Amino acid sequence: MPEDLVITGCGVVTAAGTGKKEFAQGLFSGGGRFAVMERPGRGGERGFLGAEIAELTLPGRFSGRLLRTVSLSGRAALLALHEAWEDARLDTADPERVGLVIGGSNVQQRELMLKQDAYRDRPAYLPPTYAFSFLDSDLCGLCSEQFGIRGAAHTVGGASASGQLAVIQAAQAVRSGAVDVCVAIGALADLSSWECQALRSIGAMGSDRFADEPDLACRPFDSLSDGFIYGEACGAVVVERASTGGGRGARPYAAVTGWGVAVDANRNPDPSVDGESRAIGQALAHAGRAPGDIDYVNPHGTGSGVGDPVELAALRACGLDGAYLNATKSITGHGLSAAGTVEVVATLLQMEAAVLHPTRNLETPIDPTLNWVRGQAESRRITHALTLSMGFGGVNTALCLQNANG
């Protein structure tokens, strides 16, 4: 494989499995953990549905004193980064040449709301850590401090495209020479009941139809879907040049061959065939690939009655209707800011196993003529893959990956 940008490490936290091994098992079995959400500050009279992760156990390198001041989003970021860091053997990398990009803004909303409620009548006793925990830079500071990262570090917000946008910016940072290695993290968006209610009110979040059957509610690209189902998640990937990782003995999962970013000039959550097609076209051109070269597409696929048909129309417009398709969110739920990074990890694991995971609850596809992977996993060799993410505010991203093993 020619000298190129590659992904040499990944880490993941989802309700379908924490860590690569458990996550892969959850993907290929089509498992899911959907229920009425119970975290404090996220409940509500309407009983919001979602997929909440099990209690997180962090490795001994993180002190108990530290973890007592760290939010759920922070703990998930540390755990995903730890796995990716170990995977890529980054302990021997020059810390001044390692960068960090965190995808997501306003990601600690629930924990901040709980603090506000707890100290509303005694504000003078508000914990001093609130002064920095409400800032997006908090996760940058937390992760860089714990892992000794001394290169560039910043956040990037693109709503539900944030996670994939972080991977793209990590690749750009390495390609420009700003750093030798860059970690991209899609942060866990910790929704409170306020965000859940607002997303229900605009018709984005389901589900009224399956309120009493949570296991059936998350159904991207299915005719009975009535909105996305939230899922707690966090993902991390390490991007660097092949020679840099090879010098540490890190093995590449895939090459990052091309990407595209296009916006719709639209504040509202109204997807656009034009914008999505432009992002896809940019990614293919950047990668030097024709549509027919793409074996597999990991789509954004949320379960939106508006977004899903537009995305499939964009794939057809770009000549990608021959590629295999599945929907990772059918298993994980919609991780919002984390989704794009988690779905890159899902794509890498499918490439590695030469297996495509099933799409849960895809009983009546809105377009049955496409190459769906439906009720069970399928053995498929993936050489070139395309992953897509879209976010409110008209943000469209696309990323091309090439299997490192041919």
Side-chain angles (χ1 to χ4, degrees):
M1 189 170 66
E3 173 73 346
D4 209 335
L5 301 181
V6 294
I7 294 174
T8 56
C10 59
V12 65
V13 175
T14 75
T18 290
K20 293 183 300 175
K21 182 177 179 180
E22 190 177 294
F23 182 49
Q25 291 171 348
L27 285 176
F28 298 137
S29 68
R33 294 185 53 195
F34 296 96
V36 175
M37 294 192 287
E38 298 180 346
R39 284 204 193 279
R42 195 180 287 157
E45 294 180 1
R46 299 187 66 182
F48 302 115
L49 303 183
E52 294 177 319
I53 57 180
E55 192 65 31
L56 296 178
T57 302
L58 276 77
R61 70 181 292 166
F62 308 116
S63 71
R65 181 179 178 184
L66 167 76
L67 297 179
R68 283 193 293 274
T69 68
V70 175
S71 69
L72 175 65
S73 299
R75 294 195 299 274
L78 289 175
L79 189 56
L81 176 52
H82 174 76
E83 183 177 31
W85 192 273
E86 295 287 311
D87 199 18
R89 304 185 180 187
L90 285 179
D91 277 338
T92 60
D94 179 355
E96 294 187 5
R97 299 297 299 164
V98 178
L100 173 68
V101 182
I102 293 183
S105 54
N106 304 319
V107 297
Q108 304 182 89
Q109 297 288 73
R110 183 185 63 89
E111 299 228 12
L112 294 176
M113 186 197 78
L114 291 174
K115 285 278 197 315
Q116 293 163 2
D117 287 348
Y119 292 93
R120 193 172 305 280
D121 298 327
R122 49 192 184 115
Y125 295 93
L126 184 70
T129 53
Y130 190 95
F132 46 80
S133 64
F134 77 88
L135 299 169
D136 291 348
S137 58
D138 186 36
L139 293 189
C140 280
L142 173 68
C143 292
S144 61
E145 176 187 73
Q146 292 302 305
F147 289 86
I149 296 170
R150 296 181 179 273
H154 64 272
T155 63
V156 56
S160 296
S162 297
Q164 190 167 108
L165 199 54
V167 179
I168 291 171
Q169 288 207 354
Q172 291 172 332
V174 175
R175 176 153 287 175
S176 72
V179 291
D180 296 331
V181 182
C182 198
V183 183
I185 298 177
L188 188 152
D190 192 5
L191 300 186
S192 77
S193 57
W194 288 98
E195 289 77 50
C196 291
Q197 183 59 60
L199 289 165
R200 288 298 303 275
S201 296
I202 64 170
M205 180 186 280
S207 164
D208 289 326
R209 180 173 289 146
F210 296 100
D212 298 324
E213 300 176 282
D215 202 49
L216 301 180
C218 192
R219 44 198 321 121
F221 301 113
D222 188 79
S223 61
L224 291 181
S225 176
D226 65 347
F228 79 79
I229 304 299
Y230 168 71
E232 293 179 339
C234 181
V237 298
V238 177
V239 182
E240 58 186 319
R241 293 192 181 275
S243 59
T244 307
R248 298 190 315 278
R251 68 177 183 87
Y253 287 88
V256 181
T257 56
W259 52 80
V261 179
V263 296
D264 296 330
N266 182 8
R267 179 189 182 192
N268 297 312
D270 302 327
S272 151
V273 173
D274 173 70
E276 295 179 19
S277 297
R278 285 189 291 117
I280 293 169
Q282 289 174 22
L284 292 175
H286 188 192
R289 293 295 165 192
D293 294 332
I294 303 300
D295 309 300
Y296 164 67
V297 174
N298 187 294
H300 186 59
T302 66
S304 164
V306 177
D308 286 4
V310 167
E311 185 172 11
L312 297 186
L315 290 175
R316 284 196 176 279
C318 292
L320 290 163
D321 44 322
Y324 284 92
L325 292 165
N326 56 18
T328 299
K329 291 182 182 69
S330 72
I331 297 170
T332 63
H334 191 350
L336 303 173
S337 52
T341 314
V342 169
E343 286 154 18
V344 167
V345 175
T347 300
L348 298 175
L349 295 178
Q350 290 176 98
M351 281 182 162
E352 184 177 53
V355 175
L356 296 179
H357 71 69
T359 305
R360 284 169 52 89
N361 297 323
L362 186 58
E363 297 172 357
T364 309
I366 57 176
D367 185 344
T369 66
L370 296 172
N371 289 329
W372 297 108
V373 183
R374 294 175 61 176
Q376 59 186 16
E378 296 184 15
S379 295
R380 297 287 175 189
R381 176 71 179 166
I382 309 166
T383 301
H384 298 285
L386 178 74
T387 73
L388 305 176
S389 285
M390 292 84 183
F392 285 6
V395 183
N396 307 289
T397 65
L399 185 69
C400 286
L401 300 172
Q402 179 181 339
N403 196 323
N405 298 309

